[in-house]
């Protein structure tokens, strides 16, 4: 089981977290017989997580991973939807297939690292250092070639990753894919999408079901009230501007 973060959450109450949960996972949300489906709210969920991150500076890895993986799927969905209801082309030609592969790969690698790489920051620091022949505990370095530059064997570090993955119930295939993309080997878009959707389901079962157990009703009502207030303010401003136009002297 993934542990809860000890930092205070940036969401105002559990209902707000539940609302974002349902935006991410509409397929798991409880259907309301008296309300119309809200539509695709995944981008709203990603935006809300980014707002939380801006406010708090840190979030539970599961929340950040859900947002980044979902955003990769959203990019892909926009490209896959070739035409709209009116028949006009909607293909986003600014994103190539290779770029989509990179988006998926980066999101997936960060997701796995967040849960099974215990020394991410330390590893980045080690990459900037020159090793002669030492054992830092997780990796062994062997000099090859000239100039003192070495190649690092990460067998022990990777083994540790698999051990951490087993502890939290993460499939080995997730770690396999992380290692694959880390070495610049990008699988097909079909496989990357399949694994990303599997990762999102894993996050649902391992974190969201256990940590986001609230009812979204309160947050949805607050959202509707803020939207209504914003509309009323805008209408008042429009009426004020119209009144000023009527009172102003005619030109010419």
């Amino acid at each position: 089981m993934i542990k809860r973060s000890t930092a205070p959450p940036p969401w105002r109450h559990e209902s707000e977290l539940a609302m974002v949960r349902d935006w991410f996972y509409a397929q798991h949300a409880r259907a309301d017989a008296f309300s119309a489906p809200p539509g695709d709210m995944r981008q709203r969920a990603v935006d809300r997580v980014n707002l939380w991150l801006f406010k708090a500076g840190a979030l539970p890895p599961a929340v950040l991973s859900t947002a980044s993986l979902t955003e990769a799927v959203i990019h892909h969905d926009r490209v896959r939807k070739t035409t709209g209801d009116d028949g006009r082309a909607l293909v986003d030609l600014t994103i190539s297939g290779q770029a989509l592969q990179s988006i998926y790969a980066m999101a997936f690698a960060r997701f796995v690292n967040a849960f099974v790489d215990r020394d991410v920051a330390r590893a980045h620091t080690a990459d900037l250092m020159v090793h002669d022949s030492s054992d830092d505990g997780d990796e062994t370095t062997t000099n090859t070639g000239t100039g003192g530059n070495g190649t690092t064997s990460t067998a022990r570090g990777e083994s540790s990753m698999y051990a951490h993955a087993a502890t939290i119930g993460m499939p080995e295939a997730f770690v396999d894919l992380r290692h694959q993309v880390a070495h610049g080997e990008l699988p097909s878009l079909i496989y990357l999408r399949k694994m990303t959707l599997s990762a999102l389901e894993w996050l649902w079962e391992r974190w969201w079901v256990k940590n986001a157990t609230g009812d979204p009703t309160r947050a949805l009502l607050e959202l509707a009230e803020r939207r209504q207030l914003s509309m009323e303010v805008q209408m008042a401003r429009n009426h004020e501007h119209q009144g000023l136009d009527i009172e102003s002297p005619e030109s010419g």
Side-chain angles (χ1 to χ4, degrees), residues 45-59:
V46 172
D47 294 341
R48 184 61 62 95
V49 169
N50 288 335
L51 177 61
W52 288 344
L53 182 61
F54 176 77
K55 291 167 56 178
L59 290 174

Side-chain angles (χ1 to χ4, degrees), residues 198-221:
S198 295
L200 286 169
E201 283 302 308
W202 183 83
L203 287 165
W204 167 261
E205 295 171 359
R206 289 283 170 170
W207 195 88
W208 290 95
V209 168
K210 298 177 176 67
N211 295 276
T213 58
D215 187 327
T217 302
R218 175 184 173 185
L220 290 171
L221 289 174

